Amino acid sequence: MRILIVEDEENIRQQLGKHLQGQGFAIDLAADGEEGLYYGREYDYDAAVVDLGLPKIDGIDMITRLRKEKRSFPILVLTARGHWQDKVQGLEAGADDYLAKPFQMEELVARLNALIRRTAGYASPVLIQGDLQLDTAKKEVRVSGGAVELTAYEYKVLEYLMLNPDRVVSKSELTDHLYDQDFDRDSNVIEVFVGRLRKKIVPVDLIRTVRGQGYRFVAES
Ligand code: CA
């Protein structure tokens, strides 16, 4: 999952970035609204965290423009404590949730995870497909009740595919959502991750290869 963070306070921006990276997210950092707008237009994020008081283009303006341009990823805004009008304005501009400063990192992560899975159409943090269960909060995978040991990247691939069922996901889309822009990408490693994943979640045959296009996670109805 790839997250855009738009925050002008260097300290908070770096702390947020570090913490979210530690939670397995790929992160892009923007220090003002202009940079945020550029990133938001350029990449397809799984979610964004946007401070409202920003230099160059303020947060409300930035969100309004992104929404007008049909950028639909979920946005969580950061507001100053006690400024309830900011929350209303943020939501009305197209944000999906808010958090007042100062906030706890754990709460921010929990809210981001909830936004991402709600956007994908899941109400529960545990994604279930047949015998396969993926707990997005605990980052645990089970097949027929038994725990499956996955590496961080194998987990990320599976989570992304399960959150985007029944459509073809290309290798480049996967690399876009698994790595931030500074990462040296190699889409061949995706094949390796998927190959290992398939072996580990046998007998669940839910990840199909679509020749020349990518992968499709088959949801059981
Ligand atoms: Ca600010």
Side-chain angles (χ1 to χ4, degrees):
M1 298 290 132
R2 187 167 169 190
I3 311 286
L4 171 64
I5 297 170
V6 193
E7 165 64 75
D8 58 321
E9 279 172 68
E10 164 109 40
N11 251 351
I12 302 181
R13 187 172 67 247
Q14 298 301 340
Q15 271 178 19
L16 263 172
K18 247 187 215 148
H19 189 84
L20 290 178
Q21 262 172 345
Q23 297 292 311
F25 292 104
I27 298 298
D28 289 322
L29 299 174
D32 59 57
E34 206 172 86
E35 210 180 356
L37 190 59
Y38 167 79
Y39 277 119
R41 283 171 169 160
E42 197 71 8
Y43 302 103
D44 182 25
Y45 289 98
D46 296 295
V49 178
V50 178
D51 180 37
L52 289 186
L54 291 170
K56 295 189 183 171
I57 298 173
D58 76 34
I60 298 285
D61 197 13
M62 193 196 97
I63 293 166
T64 306
R65 290 203 217 176
L66 286 173
R67 291 305 192 222
K68 258 192 199 144
E69 294 169 22
K70 307 278 183 258
R71 309 303 281 170
S72 61
F73 49 77
I75 297 175
L76 183 148
V77 292
L78 301 176
T79 65
R81 181 163 294 280
H83 290 210
W84 65 267
Q85 298 93 335
D86 287 356
K87 299 170 188 166
V88 174
Q89 263 197 309
L91 295 171
E92 283 181 350
D96 302 276
D97 197 4
Y98 61 83
L99 208 49
K101 288 178 178 177
F103 54 86
Q104 294 296 321
M105 287 289 178
E106 288 78 6
E107 183 175 2
L108 181 114
V109 171
R111 284 178 183 273
L112 274 182
N113 280 329
L115 280 177
I116 291 168
R117 67 161 205 266
R118 285 254 172 214
T119 305
Y122 289 94
S124 162
V126 183
L127 316 184
I128 300 172
Q129 288 295 342
D131 291 334
L132 178 64
Q133 278 194 18
L134 181 143
D135 187 327
T136 58
K138 294 184 190 151
K139 313 251 180 250
E140 282 174 3
V141 173
R142 290 178 177 275
V143 173
S144 308
V148 179
E149 290 285 327
L150 298 182
T151 65
Y153 276 100
E154 288 162 8
Y155 173 85
K156 288 181 202 187
V157 169
L158 182 61
E159 182 186 58
Y160 190 80
L161 290 174
M162 284 188 84
L163 286 170
N164 293 274
D166 288 326
R167 73 173 178 84
V168 178
V169 175
S170 69
K171 282 186 268 181
S172 68
E173 179 178 340
L174 276 167
T175 46
D176 274 353
H177 287 265
L178 262 49
Y179 302 110
D180 52 55
Q181 57 145 15
D182 296 331
F183 202 89
D184 181 19
R185 293 127 182 262
D186 175 4
S187 64
N188 290 322
V189 300
I190 297 291
E191 278 175 43
V192 176
F193 293 151
V194 170
R196 290 201 306 230
L197 248 181
R198 281 197 179 117
K199 279 186 196 142
K200 289 184 180 181
I201 61 174
V202 165
V204 184
D205 177 28
L206 295 171
I207 306 171
R208 306 283 163 78
T209 299
V210 182
R211 257 190 177 292
Q213 295 183 55
Y215 304 100
R216 190 162 61 90
F217 186 89
V218 185
E220 299 189 336
S221 48

mmCIF file of all heavy atoms in Angstrom, residues 57-95:
data_model
loop_
_atom_site.group_PDB
_atom_site.id
_atom_site.type_symbol
_atom_site.label_atom_id
_atom_site.label_comp_id
_atom_site.label_asym_id
_atom_site.label_seq_id
_atom_site.Cartn_x
_atom_site.Cartn_y
_atom_site.Cartn_z
ATOM 1 N N ILE A 57 -0.099 26.012 -1.794
ATOM 2 C CA ILE A 57 -1.522 25.718 -2.012
ATOM 3 C C ILE A 57 -2.009 25.090 -0.715
ATOM 4 O O ILE A 57 -1.400 24.127 -0.240
ATOM 5 C CB ILE A 57 -1.708 24.707 -3.178
ATOM 6 C CG1 ILE A 57 -1.185 25.302 -4.488
ATOM 7 C CG2 ILE A 57 -3.166 24.298 -3.311
ATOM 8 C CD1 ILE A 57 -1.166 24.310 -5.646
ATOM 9 N N ASP A 58 -3.082 25.628 -0.096
ATOM 10 C CA ASP A 58 -3.487 25.040 1.180
ATOM 11 C C ASP A 58 -4.180 23.694 0.974
ATOM 12 O O ASP A 58 -4.558 23.330 -0.146
ATOM 13 C CB ASP A 58 -4.293 26.024 2.048
ATOM 14 C CG ASP A 58 -5.726 26.197 1.569
ATOM 15 O OD1 ASP A 58 -6.328 25.228 1.070
ATOM 16 O OD2 ASP A 58 -6.255 27.324 1.705
ATOM 17 N N GLY A 59 -4.312 22.954 2.073
ATOM 18 C CA GLY A 59 -4.809 21.586 2.002
ATOM 19 C C GLY A 59 -6.192 21.487 1.382
ATOM 20 O O GLY A 59 -6.457 20.600 0.566
ATOM 21 N N ILE A 60 -7.094 22.393 1.788
ATOM 22 C CA ILE A 60 -8.467 22.363 1.262
ATOM 23 C C ILE A 60 -8.462 22.531 -0.256
ATOM 24 O O ILE A 60 -9.121 21.788 -0.993
ATOM 25 C CB ILE A 60 -9.311 23.510 1.891
ATOM 26 C CG1 ILE A 60 -9.421 23.328 3.413
ATOM 27 C CG2 ILE A 60 -10.682 23.625 1.225
ATOM 28 C CD1 ILE A 60 -10.362 22.246 3.857
ATOM 29 N N ASP A 61 -7.697 23.512 -0.711
ATOM 30 C CA ASP A 61 -7.612 23.808 -2.141
ATOM 31 C C ASP A 61 -7.033 22.609 -2.904
ATOM 32 O O ASP A 61 -7.531 22.218 -3.970
ATOM 33 C CB ASP A 61 -6.725 25.050 -2.317
ATOM 34 C CG ASP A 61 -6.908 25.676 -3.686
ATOM 35 O OD1 ASP A 61 -7.878 25.305 -4.380
ATOM 36 O OD2 ASP A 61 -6.064 26.519 -4.063
ATOM 37 N N MET A 62 -5.992 22.025 -2.323
ATOM 38 C CA MET A 62 -5.344 20.874 -2.954
ATOM 39 C C MET A 62 -6.322 19.701 -3.099
ATOM 40 O O MET A 62 -6.424 19.086 -4.165
ATOM 41 C CB MET A 62 -4.147 20.447 -2.086
ATOM 42 C CG MET A 62 -3.212 19.490 -2.767
ATOM 43 S SD MET A 62 -2.122 18.682 -1.561
ATOM 44 C CE MET A 62 -3.007 17.166 -1.325
ATOM 45 N N ILE A 63 -7.058 19.427 -2.011
ATOM 46 C CA ILE A 63 -8.013 18.307 -2.037
ATOM 47 C C ILE A 63 -9.135 18.591 -3.049
ATOM 48 O O ILE A 63 -9.519 17.724 -3.833
ATOM 49 C CB ILE A 63 -8.603 18.061 -0.626
ATOM 50 C CG1 ILE A 63 -7.504 17.562 0.312
ATOM 51 C CG2 ILE A 63 -9.762 17.067 -0.678
ATOM 52 C CD1 ILE A 63 -7.871 17.609 1.789
ATOM 53 N N THR A 64 -9.643 19.836 -3.038
ATOM 54 C CA THR A 64 -10.707 20.207 -3.974
ATOM 55 C C THR A 64 -10.261 19.958 -5.409
ATOM 56 O O THR A 64 -10.999 19.389 -6.221
ATOM 57 C CB THR A 64 -11.079 21.697 -3.799
ATOM 58 O OG1 THR A 64 -11.391 21.912 -2.422
ATOM 59 C CG2 THR A 64 -12.272 22.079 -4.654
ATOM 60 N N ARG A 65 -9.027 20.364 -5.727
ATOM 61 C CA ARG A 65 -8.536 20.193 -7.099
ATOM 62 C C ARG A 65 -8.378 18.727 -7.463
ATOM 63 O O ARG A 65 -8.742 18.310 -8.566
ATOM 64 C CB ARG A 65 -7.184 20.901 -7.256
ATOM 65 C CG ARG A 65 -7.328 22.405 -7.223
ATOM 66 C CD ARG A 65 -6.149 23.022 -7.932
ATOM 67 N NE ARG A 65 -5.731 24.241 -7.269
ATOM 68 C CZ ARG A 65 -4.669 24.954 -7.642
ATOM 69 N NH1 ARG A 65 -3.914 24.544 -8.642
ATOM 70 N NH2 ARG A 65 -4.360 26.071 -7.021
ATOM 71 N N LEU A 66 -7.827 17.931 -6.533
ATOM 72 C CA LEU A 66 -7.649 16.497 -6.816
ATOM 73 C C LEU A 66 -8.997 15.821 -7.055
ATOM 74 O O LEU A 66 -9.147 15.008 -7.963
ATOM 75 C CB LEU A 66 -6.913 15.806 -5.664
ATOM 76 C CG LEU A 66 -5.417 16.087 -5.563
ATOM 77 C CD1 LEU A 66 -4.848 15.493 -4.278
ATOM 78 C CD2 LEU A 66 -4.658 15.520 -6.767
ATOM 79 N N ARG A 67 -9.990 16.167 -6.250
ATOM 80 C CA ARG A 67 -11.316 15.551 -6.406
ATOM 81 C C ARG A 67 -11.968 15.965 -7.724
ATOM 82 O O ARG A 67 -12.625 15.165 -8.375
ATOM 83 C CB ARG A 67 -12.227 15.915 -5.224
ATOM 84 C CG ARG A 67 -11.817 15.293 -3.895
ATOM 85 C CD ARG A 67 -11.690 13.776 -3.984
ATOM 86 N NE ARG A 67 -11.576 13.145 -2.673
ATOM 87 C CZ ARG A 67 -10.734 12.150 -2.384
ATOM 88 N NH1 ARG A 67 -9.908 11.703 -3.311
ATOM 89 N NH2 ARG A 67 -10.715 11.621 -1.175
ATOM 90 N N LYS A 68 -11.777 17.233 -8.105
ATOM 91 C CA LYS A 68 -12.311 17.700 -9.388
ATOM 92 C C LYS A 68 -11.711 16.917 -10.541
ATOM 93 O O LYS A 68 -12.349 16.693 -11.563
ATOM 94 C CB LYS A 68 -11.979 19.190 -9.583
ATOM 95 C CG LYS A 68 -13.162 20.080 -9.298
ATOM 96 C CD LYS A 68 -12.913 21.496 -9.757
ATOM 97 C CE LYS A 68 -13.881 22.408 -9.040
ATOM 98 N NZ LYS A 68 -13.296 23.710 -8.720
ATOM 99 N N GLU A 69 -10.446 16.514 -10.353
ATOM 100 C CA GLU A 69 -9.753 15.761 -11.405
ATOM 101 C C GLU A 69 -9.956 14.254 -11.253
ATOM 102 O O GLU A 69 -9.220 13.464 -11.823
ATOM 103 C CB GLU A 69 -8.260 16.110 -11.388
ATOM 104 C CG GLU A 69 -8.026 17.564 -11.765
ATOM 105 C CD GLU A 69 -6.594 18.027 -11.517
ATOM 106 O OE1 GLU A 69 -5.690 17.178 -11.458
ATOM 107 O OE2 GLU A 69 -6.397 19.249 -11.380
ATOM 108 N N LYS A 70 -10.960 13.889 -10.443
ATOM 109 C CA LYS A 70 -11.354 12.481 -10.284
ATOM 110 C C LYS A 70 -10.289 11.612 -9.643
ATOM 111 O O LYS A 70 -10.244 10.405 -9.887
ATOM 112 C CB LYS A 70 -11.757 11.868 -11.644
ATOM 113 C CG LYS A 70 -12.804 12.669 -12.396
ATOM 114 C CD LYS A 70 -14.207 12.366 -11.892
ATOM 115 C CE LYS A 70 -15.267 13.098 -12.684
ATOM 116 N NZ LYS A 70 -15.812 14.279 -12.019
ATOM 117 N N ARG A 71 -9.431 12.218 -8.837
ATOM 118 C CA ARG A 71 -8.509 11.397 -8.051
ATOM 119 C C ARG A 71 -9.285 10.970 -6.820
ATOM 120 O O ARG A 71 -9.661 11.814 -6.003
ATOM 121 C CB ARG A 71 -7.250 12.178 -7.649
ATOM 122 C CG ARG A 71 -6.575 12.880 -8.814
ATOM 123 C CD ARG A 71 -6.206 11.930 -9.917
ATOM 124 N NE ARG A 71 -4.987 11.188 -9.643
ATOM 125 C CZ ARG A 71 -4.557 10.172 -10.367
ATOM 126 N NH1 ARG A 71 -5.268 9.748 -11.390
ATOM 127 N NH2 ARG A 71 -3.435 9.571 -10.066
ATOM 128 N N SER A 72 -9.542 9.664 -6.691
ATOM 129 C CA SER A 72 -10.524 9.239 -5.696
ATOM 130 C C SER A 72 -9.936 8.514 -4.484
ATOM 131 O O SER A 72 -10.675 8.013 -3.650
ATOM 132 C CB SER A 72 -11.565 8.361 -6.370
ATOM 133 O OG SER A 72 -10.919 7.223 -6.915
ATOM 134 N N PHE A 73 -8.601 8.441 -4.359
ATOM 135 C CA PHE A 73 -8.036 7.716 -3.202
ATOM 136 C C PHE A 73 -8.485 8.384 -1.898
ATOM 137 O O PHE A 73 -8.708 9.594 -1.843
ATOM 138 C CB PHE A 73 -6.507 7.641 -3.297
ATOM 139 C CG PHE A 73 -5.808 8.934 -3.581
ATOM 140 C CD1 PHE A 73 -5.628 9.890 -2.590
ATOM 141 C CD2 PHE A 73 -5.312 9.201 -4.858
ATOM 142 C CE1 PHE A 73 -4.959 11.081 -2.853
ATOM 143 C CE2 PHE A 73 -4.652 10.387 -5.136
ATOM 144 C CZ PHE A 73 -4.482 11.331 -4.128
ATOM 145 N N PRO A 74 -8.645 7.572 -0.833
ATOM 146 C CA PRO A 74 -9.097 8.141 0.437
ATOM 147 C C PRO A 74 -8.087 9.127 1.035
ATOM 148 O O PRO A 74 -6.880 8.922 0.919
ATOM 149 C CB PRO A 74 -9.264 6.916 1.345
ATOM 150 C CG PRO A 74 -8.557 5.801 0.694
ATOM 151 C CD PRO A 74 -8.491 6.105 -0.770
ATOM 152 N N ILE A 75 -8.617 10.187 1.632
ATOM 153 C CA ILE A 75 -7.763 11.231 2.208
ATOM 154 C C ILE A 75 -8.135 11.458 3.668
ATOM 155 O O ILE A 75 -9.307 11.639 4.001
ATOM 156 C CB ILE A 75 -7.909 12.562 1.428
ATOM 157 C CG1 ILE A 75 -7.439 12.384 -0.019
ATOM 158 C CG2 ILE A 75 -7.109 13.679 2.121
ATOM 159 C CD1 ILE A 75 -7.646 13.606 -0.898
ATOM 160 N N LEU A 76 -7.115 11.429 4.524
ATOM 161 C CA LEU A 76 -7.294 11.743 5.937
ATOM 162 C C LEU A 76 -6.635 13.101 6.181
ATOM 163 O O LEU A 76 -5.468 13.273 5.840
ATOM 164 C CB LEU A 76 -6.642 10.662 6.788
ATOM 165 C CG LEU A 76 -6.777 10.761 8.300
ATOM 166 C CD1 LEU A 76 -6.820 9.354 8.900
ATOM 167 C CD2 LEU A 76 -5.655 11.539 8.953
ATOM 168 N N VAL A 77 -7.379 14.064 6.731
ATOM 169 C CA VAL A 77 -6.782 15.383 6.952
ATOM 170 C C VAL A 77 -6.340 15.544 8.408
ATOM 171 O O VAL A 77 -6.942 14.988 9.331
ATOM 172 C CB VAL A 77 -7.725 16.557 6.559
ATOM 173 C CG1 VAL A 77 -7.941 16.592 5.058
ATOM 174 C CG2 VAL A 77 -9.039 16.495 7.298
ATOM 175 N N LEU A 78 -5.264 16.309 8.573
ATOM 176 C CA LEU A 78 -4.773 16.651 9.909
ATOM 177 C C LEU A 78 -5.191 18.088 10.198
ATOM 178 O O LEU A 78 -4.961 18.985 9.386
ATOM 179 C CB LEU A 78 -3.244 16.536 9.955
ATOM 180 C CG LEU A 78 -2.669 15.158 9.610
ATOM 181 C CD1 LEU A 78 -1.139 15.209 9.606
ATOM 182 C CD2 LEU A 78 -3.165 14.101 10.593
ATOM 183 N N THR A 79 -5.855 18.287 11.337
ATOM 184 C CA THR A 79 -6.330 19.625 11.666
ATOM 185 C C THR A 79 -5.749 20.071 13.003
ATOM 186 O O THR A 79 -5.275 19.250 13.785
ATOM 187 C CB THR A 79 -7.865 19.651 11.792
ATOM 188 O OG1 THR A 79 -8.243 18.828 12.905
ATOM 189 C CG2 THR A 79 -8.540 19.130 10.543
ATOM 190 N N ALA A 80 -5.799 21.383 13.240
ATOM 191 C CA ALA A 80 -5.358 21.908 14.534
ATOM 192 C C ALA A 80 -6.448 21.620 15.563
ATOM 193 O O ALA A 80 -7.632 21.632 15.242
ATOM 194 C CB ALA A 80 -5.105 23.403 14.430
ATOM 195 N N ARG A 81 -6.038 21.311 16.785
ATOM 196 C CA ARG A 81 -7.009 20.987 17.830
ATOM 197 C C ARG A 81 -7.968 22.151 18.052
ATOM 198 O O ARG A 81 -7.577 23.302 18.068
ATOM 199 C CB ARG A 81 -6.280 20.662 19.127
ATOM 200 C CG ARG A 81 -7.200 20.278 20.272
ATOM 201 C CD ARG A 81 -6.446 19.576 21.379
ATOM 202 N NE ARG A 81 -5.927 18.278 20.960
ATOM 203 C CZ ARG A 81 -6.672 17.164 20.896
ATOM 204 N NH1 ARG A 81 -7.947 17.205 21.209
ATOM 205 N NH2 ARG A 81 -6.138 16.037 20.532
ATOM 206 N N GLY A 82 -9.257 21.813 18.178
ATOM 207 C CA GLY A 82 -10.243 22.834 18.505
ATOM 208 C C GLY A 82 -10.809 23.561 17.296
ATOM 209 O O GLY A 82 -11.785 24.280 17.407
ATOM 210 N N HIS A 83 -10.192 23.394 16.145
ATOM 211 C CA HIS A 83 -10.711 24.081 14.956
ATOM 212 C C HIS A 83 -11.736 23.177 14.259
ATOM 213 O O HIS A 83 -11.437 22.565 13.247
ATOM 214 C CB HIS A 83 -9.570 24.405 13.989
ATOM 215 C CG HIS A 83 -8.652 25.472 14.500
ATOM 216 N ND1 HIS A 83 -7.983 26.337 13.659
ATOM 217 C CD2 HIS A 83 -8.302 25.821 15.753
ATOM 218 C CE1 HIS A 83 -7.247 27.167 14.384
ATOM 219 N NE2 HIS A 83 -7.423 26.872 15.664
ATOM 220 N N TRP A 84 -12.923 23.107 14.824
ATOM 221 C CA TRP A 84 -13.904 22.178 14.243
ATOM 222 C C TRP A 84 -14.295 22.561 12.826
ATOM 223 O O TRP A 84 -14.627 21.714 12.007
ATOM 224 C CB TRP A 84 -15.147 22.052 15.138
ATOM 225 C CG TRP A 84 -15.949 23.317 15.260
ATOM 226 C CD1 TRP A 84 -15.823 24.260 16.224
ATOM 227 C CD2 TRP A 84 -16.988 23.759 14.379
ATOM 228 N NE1 TRP A 84 -16.709 25.280 16.009
ATOM 229 C CE2 TRP A 84 -17.438 25.000 14.886
ATOM 230 C CE3 TRP A 84 -17.573 23.258 13.222
ATOM 231 C CZ2 TRP A 84 -18.448 25.740 14.247
ATOM 232 C CZ3 TRP A 84 -18.577 23.980 12.598
ATOM 233 C CH2 TRP A 84 -19.004 25.207 13.110
ATOM 234 N N GLN A 85 -14.222 23.858 12.519
ATOM 235 C CA GLN A 85 -14.589 24.288 11.154
ATOM 236 C C GLN A 85 -13.669 23.647 10.104
ATOM 237 O O GLN A 85 -14.102 23.355 8.999
ATOM 238 C CB GLN A 85 -14.504 25.818 11.010
ATOM 239 C CG GLN A 85 -15.441 26.590 11.904
ATOM 240 C CD GLN A 85 -14.792 26.990 13.236
ATOM 241 O OE1 GLN A 85 -13.853 26.332 13.692
ATOM 242 N NE2 GLN A 85 -15.286 28.046 13.844
ATOM 243 N N ASP A 86 -12.384 23.443 10.499
ATOM 244 C CA ASP A 86 -11.428 22.829 9.572
ATOM 245 C C ASP A 86 -11.877 21.424 9.179
ATOM 246 O O ASP A 86 -11.728 21.002 8.041
ATOM 247 C CB ASP A 86 -10.042 22.703 10.221
ATOM 248 C CG ASP A 86 -9.360 24.047 10.344
ATOM 249 O OD1 ASP A 86 -9.939 25.049 9.860
ATOM 250 O OD2 ASP A 86 -8.261 24.085 10.915
ATOM 251 N N LYS A 87 -12.389 20.694 10.177
ATOM 252 C CA LYS A 87 -12.814 19.317 9.915
ATOM 253 C C LYS A 87 -13.956 19.316 8.902
ATOM 254 O O LYS A 87 -13.960 18.552 7.944
ATOM 255 C CB LYS A 87 -13.285 18.645 11.200
ATOM 256 C CG LYS A 87 -12.194 18.554 12.248
ATOM 257 C CD LYS A 87 -12.766 18.118 13.588
ATOM 258 C CE LYS A 87 -11.692 18.228 14.664
ATOM 259 N NZ LYS A 87 -12.260 18.135 16.018
ATOM 260 N N VAL A 88 -14.933 20.222 9.150
ATOM 261 C CA VAL A 88 -16.094 20.302 8.254
ATOM 262 C C VAL A 88 -15.640 20.678 6.847
ATOM 263 O O VAL A 88 -16.018 20.041 5.858
ATOM 264 C CB VAL A 88 -17.115 21.329 8.783
ATOM 265 C CG1 VAL A 88 -18.250 21.536 7.789
ATOM 266 C CG2 VAL A 88 -17.658 20.871 10.128
ATOM 267 N N GLN A 89 -14.797 21.695 6.776
ATOM 268 C CA GLN A 89 -14.301 22.157 5.462
ATOM 269 C C GLN A 89 -13.545 21.050 4.736
ATOM 270 O O GLN A 89 -13.705 20.869 3.531
ATOM 271 C CB GLN A 89 -13.336 23.323 5.668
ATOM 272 C CG GLN A 89 -13.974 24.679 5.500
ATOM 273 C CD GLN A 89 -12.886 25.718 5.311
ATOM 274 O OE1 GLN A 89 -11.939 25.776 6.105
ATOM 275 N NE2 GLN A 89 -12.993 26.513 4.267
ATOM 276 N N GLY A 90 -12.719 20.323 5.494
ATOM 277 C CA GLY A 90 -11.937 19.233 4.903
ATOM 278 C C GLY A 90 -12.840 18.157 4.331
ATOM 279 O O GLY A 90 -12.664 17.717 3.198
ATOM 280 N N LEU A 91 -13.836 17.757 5.120
ATOM 281 C CA LEU A 91 -14.760 16.708 4.658
ATOM 282 C C LEU A 91 -15.556 17.200 3.460
ATOM 283 O O LEU A 91 -15.777 16.466 2.494
ATOM 284 C CB LEU A 91 -15.694 16.280 5.796
ATOM 285 C CG LEU A 91 -15.014 15.588 6.992
ATOM 286 C CD1 LEU A 91 -15.997 15.407 8.139
ATOM 287 C CD2 LEU A 91 -14.424 14.240 6.585
ATOM 288 N N GLU A 92 -15.967 18.467 3.513
ATOM 289 C CA GLU A 92 -16.757 19.004 2.393
ATOM 290 C C GLU A 92 -15.928 19.143 1.109
ATOM 291 O O GLU A 92 -16.470 19.097 0.010
ATOM 292 C CB GLU A 92 -17.384 20.347 2.781
ATOM 293 C CG GLU A 92 -18.589 20.120 3.692
ATOM 294 C CD GLU A 92 -19.292 21.397 4.118
ATOM 295 O OE1 GLU A 92 -18.762 22.500 3.875
ATOM 296 O OE2 GLU A 92 -20.374 21.267 4.706
ATOM 297 N N ALA A 93 -14.624 19.300 1.272
ATOM 298 C CA ALA A 93 -13.751 19.407 0.093
ATOM 299 C C ALA A 93 -13.516 18.038 -0.543
ATOM 300 O O ALA A 93 -13.061 17.941 -1.674
ATOM 301 C CB ALA A 93 -12.418 20.045 0.485
ATOM 302 N N GLY A 94 -13.838 16.964 0.208
ATOM 303 C CA GLY A 94 -13.658 15.633 -0.364
ATOM 304 C C GLY A 94 -12.791 14.705 0.457
ATOM 305 O O GLY A 94 -12.494 13.587 0.035
ATOM 306 N N ALA A 95 -12.370 15.152 1.659
ATOM 307 C CA ALA A 95 -11.608 14.254 2.530
ATOM 308 C C ALA A 95 -12.561 13.214 3.120
ATOM 309 O O ALA A 95 -13.782 13.402 3.108
ATOM 310 C CB ALA A 95 -10.921 15.039 3.646
#
